[in-house]
Amino acid sequence: MKKPARAWQRMLSGRRLDLLDPTPVDIEVEDIAHGLAFVARWNGQTRGDWAYSVAEHSLLVEELFTRANPGVAARWRLAALLHDAPEYVIGDMISPVKAAIGPDYGALDERLTAAVHLRFGLPAALPVPIKKQIKAADKVSAWLEAVQIAGFTMAEADRFFGKPDAALVRGLAIRLRPPAEVRAEYVQRHADLLAACG
């Protein structure tokens, strides 16, 4: 008999996350923050001495989502912060790779997202309008990243990600920082948003 492949990962917290059947009790924000702080966006093809991490991207998406939706509930801001949380175990695959893998990637991402959401008091599946608003903030973040650190011209970024509202991105500059610093900010922002959720 062939031994079944291992489908779980041990986290630094000691939790053992089953990727095929993830449960909320095996998810800790410190594991998410640590993993995301060490996962590079753009496959690492960015300017600077530090990789631009998914944790840094997530903080920016939450900021953009909040700017675009003044007065939005803290729980939805938390959902924006956590929008890429599954990437702490599955990595940040660029869109062409996701397309090549097919629907299995999407199913894995959905299972992990549902477990993360339930762990932090969010619905397993977000309301469609909220999901669309977070996706819109994600696209604006991609535009900023493209023109500020990934070598795209503004015309290229406009074509691929759509031209953002100038007021929405005013004053936002991508900062490349050491992973430990980004990890700490992610954990703190998560705590602040959880507290604001009541």
Side-chain angles (χ1 to χ4, degrees):
M1 298 269 317
K2 185 178 177 185
K3 185 178 176 182
R6 178 172 65 91
W8 55 267
Q9 180 176 348
R10 181 169 307 283
M11 300 297 160
L12 290 178
S13 66
R15 298 285 187 189
R16 197 166 98 165
L17 183 66
D18 184 338
L19 300 180
L20 300 178
D21 187 23
T23 62
V25 296
D26 290 322
I27 292 168
E28 299 294 341
V29 70
E30 292 81 7
D31 292 331
I32 294 171
H34 182 82
L36 295 184
F38 284 91
V39 173
R41 293 262 301 160
W42 303 92
N43 277 349
Q45 298 300 307
T46 53
R47 296 185 186 106
D49 294 330
W50 300 102
Y52 183 70
S53 72
V54 176
E56 192 79 74
H57 162 78
S58 298
L59 290 161
L60 179 57
V61 168
E62 191 263 325
E63 168 71 21
L64 288 163
F65 173 75
T66 302
R67 282 184 175 200
N69 302 281
V72 69
R75 69 190 316 229
W76 304 135
R77 294 181 2 233
L78 178 62
L81 180 70
L82 294 168
H83 81 283
D84 277 339
E87 294 179 8
Y88 86 108
V89 287
I90 59 178
D92 180 34
M93 291 192 204
I94 59 174
S95 296
V97 174
K98 290 177 186 176
I101 292 173
D104 289 344
Y105 177 89
L108 176 59
D109 184 78
E110 285 176 15
R111 284 193 301 271
L112 288 165
T113 296
V116 168
H117 284 177
L118 293 172
R119 170 67 175 87
F120 300 114
L122 298 169
L126 297 178
V128 172
I130 296 296
K131 192 170 182 176
K132 285 182 178 177
Q133 291 164 345
I134 292 171
K135 186 63 184 169
D138 194 33
K139 284 182 78 173
V140 174
S141 178
W143 185 93
L144 280 167
E145 295 162 19
V147 298
Q148 291 187 17
I149 59 170
F152 284 60
T153 65
M154 283 195 181
E156 287 175 317
D158 290 350
R159 189 168 65 250
F160 289 113
F161 308 110
K163 186 176 178 118
D165 179 346
L168 185 62
V169 298
R170 187 170 293 123
L172 291 177
I174 304 285
R175 293 184 311 142
L176 300 178
R177 302 183 285 164
E181 186 179 324
V182 180
R183 177 181 62 207
E185 185 175 333
Y186 188 101
V187 169
Q188 185 59 57
R189 187 66 188 140
H190 181 271
D192 292 346
L193 290 169
L194 265 185
C197 288

